[in-house]
Amino acid sequence: MTSELGTDDSRRRASRPGRYSCPVTRIESSGSLVRAEIDEAALRANAETLAGRLSPARLKCIVKANAYGHGIDIVAGSLFAAGWREFGVATIPEALALREILGESAVISAWLHGPETDFAPAVGAGIEIGVSTLACLDSVRDAARRAGRGARVHLKVDSGLGRNGFSPADFDDALHRLEEIAAGPVPGASGAPGASSPTGIEIVGIMSHFAVADEPERAETAEQVAVFDSARRRLRAVLTAASGRLGDPDRLDIHIANSPAALTLDPLPGTSARVGLALYGLSPLEGRTPADLGLRPVMRLVSEVVNLKHVPAGHGASYGLTYTTEHDTRFALVPGGYGDGIPRAASNRAEVAIRGRRYPVVGRIAMDQMVIDVGEGAVDLGDEVVILGPGGPSADEWATWSDTINYEIVTRISARVDRTPLPPGTR
């Protein structure tokens, strides 16, 4: 696919891998019987692989929703320590928490807000703000004046997904508002939000989001690129006419690509790509495994056998007795249930791995535990149980068993599950 979108890299901020100190403070273990092991070596390798594919566009590491369930303190801290500097989340509270984790040198953006969102703390913390409505643009500029600091803004365009972002008519209004702002008086010293932003806002980027990039044969992706490219050209013209009062048009960050686009589009449109799922070693493409894409799963969800008992033929398992044994067997009780984020919808369909062998989950998955029919297998009390990840079922398998997608499987892992970092070289 060809595009007029630029790939100017002048806005790059020390985000190539290297050795840097990281201010991250990691959350201590709560002693949960279920833990998520986070493979930092796999995470960093995925980032390198994706960055290589994206080049000359840059990698933005998306760590919203607690880093897709992997633990934002571990994931963002590890990536920061490896030299990555650009991160994205959805909400302002996520962005402020990430600023506390990573410190001032990380470039952090957020783009999902409500009409009552107070942007002043985000502006004060240097968070880059995605703006999708005229009211939001005005609120951000207002917040910049109150914070005494220029607001860095990315305009979000709805290029066809139908979610957030300016519609074509609303984008016209936004450009007119920017022209008015540029033509207006420069605030006095008491309200000046910073030398780099004499009008109170600096437009540093334009963004959108693909709808069907995971189906590269569909025409809608090229149509979205055309809509987005037109918006980019019009914005650039407004910035150029503003003569620096709204930002530098030559340093505009242009980003529409997500994980599917990063793996399917060549050339990639834009100067950067917001990559989430693929960063965690999961495939967004039907029929393509992580290994097919040169990626490694980062999460391994494990538990242990805490009870083991012989049961006779005709014995039921768990609530509702939806499973009955056909012959004498053994049940293993394993901590881990829907309270931990394990989908109840996978009851009587899922499997786990113990000592390298798969066993079925029988009966309904409960809030805190599940029953495994291990028969006469070599299973003992205290044995490790791999619920998800290397050595056990994949997120894609759990998605199939639950009639959902792999994104949901990892992001739903609950807060009571300990996230345990596996430093590089551990596995």
Side-chain angles (χ1 to χ4, degrees):
M1 175 181 296
T2 59
S3 169
E4 298 179 22
L5 298 182
T7 55
D8 182 276
D9 200 37
S10 61
R11 192 168 169 266
R12 185 69 165 170
R13 302 178 187 80
S15 47
R16 293 305 306 162
R19 290 293 179 185
Y20 298 85
S21 61
C22 178
V24 64
T25 300
R26 293 191 169 161
I27 299 171
E28 294 184 1
S29 169
S30 66
S32 171
L33 292 171
V34 185
R35 70 181 186 279
E37 297 176 346
I38 307 303
D39 188 340
E40 295 188 56
L43 175 69
R44 295 180 181 186
N46 293 340
E48 288 280 10
T49 295
L50 291 160
R53 178 174 176 80
L54 294 171
S55 183
R58 309 187 311 277
L59 172 66
K60 289 184 188 292
C61 302
I62 303 304
V63 294
K64 62 181 180 177
N66 197 24
Y68 283 53
H70 290 65
I72 193 170
D73 59 324
I74 297 172
V75 167
S78 183
L79 291 170
F80 186 96
W84 303 103
R85 287 295 179 270
E86 296 187 73
F87 297 85
V89 292
T91 68
I92 295 299
E94 287 179 306
L96 294 174
L98 186 58
R99 177 65 78 208
E100 289 293 316
I101 292 171
L102 296 182
E104 291 300 318
S105 60
V107 180
I108 301 169
S109 57
W111 50 81
L112 184 62
H113 326 294
E116 303 302 320
T117 297
D118 180 5
F119 294 102
V123 173
I127 304 300
E128 299 190 351
I129 301 170
V131 167
S132 294
T133 68
L134 198 58
C136 182
L137 181 63
D138 291 339
S139 292
V140 170
R141 188 184 183 213
D142 229 21
R145 288 172 169 165
R146 286 185 281 117
R149 177 173 178 171
R152 298 175 63 83
V153 170
H154 298 247
L155 297 184
K156 188 166 188 180
V157 177
D158 180 3
S159 58
L161 181 60
R163 297 194 318 192
N164 217 358
F166 288 101
S167 68
D170 290 339
F171 191 64
D172 289 343
D173 293 340
L175 294 181
H176 291 321
R177 180 60 53 84
L178 290 177
E179 289 170 337
E180 293 171 358
I181 292 171
V186 176
S190 62
S196 65
S197 181
T199 59
I201 58 173
E202 179 182 3
I203 306 301
V204 297
I206 183 169
M207 62 190 291
S208 190
H209 199 76
F210 282 124
V212 291
D214 55 329
E215 302 176 65
E217 72 283 355
R218 292 184 60 169
E220 292 95 335
T221 295
E223 293 167 1
Q224 284 193 257
V225 170
V227 170
F228 184 55
D229 197 28
S230 174
R232 188 270 307 172
R233 289 196 303 270
R234 294 177 63 204
L235 174 61
R236 180 181 170 84
V238 169
L239 297 183
T240 300
S243 302
R245 287 164 61 87
L246 293 172
D248 186 347
D250 293 326
R251 300 182 67 198
L252 196 65
D253 190 13
I254 305 162
H255 48 113
I256 183 175
N258 51 6
S259 283
L263 296 166
T264 61
L265 300 190
D266 188 15
L268 186 87
T271 59
S272 64
R274 305 185 307 273
V275 179
L277 189 78
L279 190 64
Y280 305 102
L282 301 177
S283 172
L285 307 177
E286 187 174 358
R288 303 286 301 279
T289 68
D292 293 337
L293 303 170
L295 305 173
R296 293 159 49 192
V298 173
M299 180 188 290
R300 184 171 178 263
L301 189 66
V302 297
S303 185
E304 62 184 290
V305 176
V306 298
N307 200 337
L308 193 62
K309 65 181 67 175
H310 290 274
V311 294
H315 200 290
S318 194
Y319 292 120
L321 301 179
T322 59
Y323 175 86
T324 303
T325 58
E326 296 181 356
H327 46 71
D328 293 356
T329 187
R330 289 190 305 161
F331 282 170
L333 185 66
V334 174
Y338 59 80
D340 303 289
I342 298 169
R344 185 175 181 270
S347 299
N348 287 309
R349 302 170 71 184
E351 298 176 348
V352 297
I354 305 173
R355 297 191 186 185
R357 179 178 169 183
R358 295 283 193 99
Y359 295 98
V361 176
V362 297
R364 289 180 182 158
I365 294 171
M367 186 181 294
D368 313 300
Q369 55 204 293
M370 52 186 160
V371 178
I372 316 299
D373 190 337
V374 298
E376 296 305 315
V379 175
D380 289 324
L381 283 173
D383 278 352
E384 180 181 80
V385 178
V386 182
I387 299 171
L388 166 71
S394 67
D396 291 295
E397 288 178 283
W398 274 97
T400 297
W401 295 328
S402 309
D403 298 317
T404 186
I405 54 175
N406 54 8
Y407 295 75
E408 182 181 352
I409 294 302
V410 290
T411 57
R412 65 184 294 155
I413 302 302
S414 76
R416 78 172 177 182
V417 173
D418 285 338
R419 273 73 169 174
T420 304
L422 299 181
T426 302
R427 184 183 295 161

